[in-house]
Amino acid sequence: MEQLPAATDGPRNWRARLHEVIYESHSPAGKAFDITLLAFIITSIVVVMLDSVASLHARYGQVFFILEWFFTITFTAEYILRLVCIRRPAKYIFSVLGLIDLLAIIPTYLSFIIVGSQSLIVFRALRLLRVFRIFRLVHFLSEMRFLHVAIINSIRKVSIFILFVLSTVVILGSIIYLVEGPENGFTSIPQSVYWAIVTITTVGYGDIAPGTPLGKLIASFIMLLGYGIIAVPTGIVTTEMALAAKDQHQNHQACPNCGREGHDLNAKFCKHCGAKL
């Protein structure tokens, strides 16, 4: 009877070791796994890019095909292992990184059904974000985390601001349409609104330009207004980042149950699923 706990702990210890290698990078095995995975990701993206060149595809198409399937099978095995070593795989499947990992392998399988879907493999580039875990750039992860919080908290204010900008360009576009008319390229109000948007964002394609003195005066006003408008959303997001910085003291240990990070330094349980860390 005394051997039963050891027997039941066997699979648990195996899964814990696998979790440490795949989800953590503080151990030599974990760092080697992440570096190898990163090299595979970069190489697979290079293969996809080279395969899009017609001359290289004609010459090395078969090699690219074999390499792509090698990477796809490798990433599929890695995805399955990530699901195996956590107690609640659904949490990882529907997380941001889980969806990105799934996007990295689905396109190759879809290429059997949908012609051209293999081009979606470029989504694999998003997985290069794992480089921050490899080199322990914790402060970069912290900046990204409260930038995310700041953007979420700024959505309502920025949305109201964008509504104001849209109203402004509609009004100014309508005015410039009346002033310039079709003879200067402003053939309709939508076309004039397009010009106002291009001008107020300081892009200035130059495909349409006012020709009358009054039109140029209005254009000058819109350009100056554009420079002033740029600072508004920046100030909103910066304020929210300052508020979010108060909650930046977090560690980056991955939960063995759901695989998510972002826990407090003294946390003993996952704030997402409640599992013990």
Side-chain angles (χ1 to χ4, degrees):
M1 295 296 293
E2 296 178 357
Q3 300 297 324
L4 287 177
T8 57
D9 285 344
R12 185 184 307 166
N13 290 337
W14 175 79
R15 290 176 65 186
R17 289 194 295 269
L18 184 61
H19 179 275
E20 183 177 351
V21 171
I22 293 179
Y23 282 94
E24 308 291 345
S25 59
H26 60 272
S27 64
K31 184 171 293 186
F33 175 84
D34 280 349
I35 292 176
T36 303
L37 179 63
L38 181 62
F40 278 12
I41 293 170
I42 295 175
T43 307
S44 68
I45 295 171
V46 172
V47 168
V48 173
M49 294 174 65
L50 294 178
D51 193 33
S52 66
V53 180
S55 59
L56 294 178
H57 177 77
R59 189 172 183 178
Y60 304 106
Q62 188 64 27
V63 177
F64 292 149
F65 179 80
I66 295 173
L67 286 174
E68 180 48 45
W69 273 107
F70 167 76
F71 289 126
T72 298
I73 293 173
T74 301
F75 293 139
T76 302
E78 179 239 344
Y79 182 77
I80 293 173
L81 289 176
R82 287 184 180 275
L83 299 180
V84 168
C85 66
I86 55 177
R87 290 188 290 270
R88 299 177 65 181
K91 291 287 186 179
Y92 175 75
I93 292 175
F94 295 104
S95 66
V96 175
L97 285 178
L99 293 174
I100 291 174
D101 290 348
L102 191 60
L103 284 173
I105 60 178
I106 282 182
T108 305
Y109 296 114
L110 284 180
S111 63
F112 281 115
I113 305 172
I114 305 173
V115 177
S117 62
Q118 60 268 25
S119 61
L120 296 176
I121 298 173
V122 294
F123 280 109
R124 196 171 288 161
L126 295 175
R127 304 183 72 205
L128 290 173
L129 294 175
R130 296 186 190 280
V131 70
F132 296 128
R133 290 216 315 264
I134 295 174
F135 297 105
R136 309 286 292 181
L137 300 181
V138 177
H139 57 287
F140 278 95
L141 285 174
S142 299
E143 297 293 330
M144 290 173 60
R145 188 166 287 111
F146 75 78
L147 176 61
H148 169 75
V149 173
I151 292 175
I152 294 298
N153 294 337
S154 304
I155 287 179
R156 184 173 179 272
K157 297 175 183 177
V158 174
S159 299
I160 295 173
F161 171 73
I162 291 176
L163 180 61
F164 165 76
V165 173
L166 287 176
S167 302
T168 303
V169 295
V170 169
I171 294 172
L172 294 175
S174 302
I175 293 174
I176 201 72
Y177 169 73
L178 295 175
V179 171
E180 294 293 324
E183 59 272 13
N184 290 319
F186 296 86
T187 56
S188 64
I189 291 181
Q191 181 80 353
S192 303
V193 170
Y194 156 78
W195 170 85
I197 292 174
V198 170
T199 305
I200 204 170
T201 54
T202 70
V203 175
Y205 288 131
D207 51 347
I208 309 174
T212 64
L214 181 57
K216 293 179 180 179
L217 180 62
I218 295 173
S220 300
F221 170 75
I222 295 177
M223 294 174 195
L224 294 175
L225 181 63
Y227 280 108
I229 282 176
I230 291 175
V232 176
T234 305
I236 294 174
V237 175
T238 302
T239 301
E240 293 296 336
M241 287 182 64
L243 295 175
K246 298 178 181 178
D247 193 33
Q248 65 177 325
H249 301 293
Q250 298 175 333
N251 64 38
H252 306 288
Q253 178 184 3
C255 173
N257 187 50
C258 65
R260 300 180 68 177
E261 301 177 354
H263 307 98
D264 294 336
L265 292 174
N266 59 349
K268 296 182 179 179
F269 296 91
C270 176
K271 64 181 181 181
H272 302 289
C273 67
K276 187 175 181 181
L277 297 176

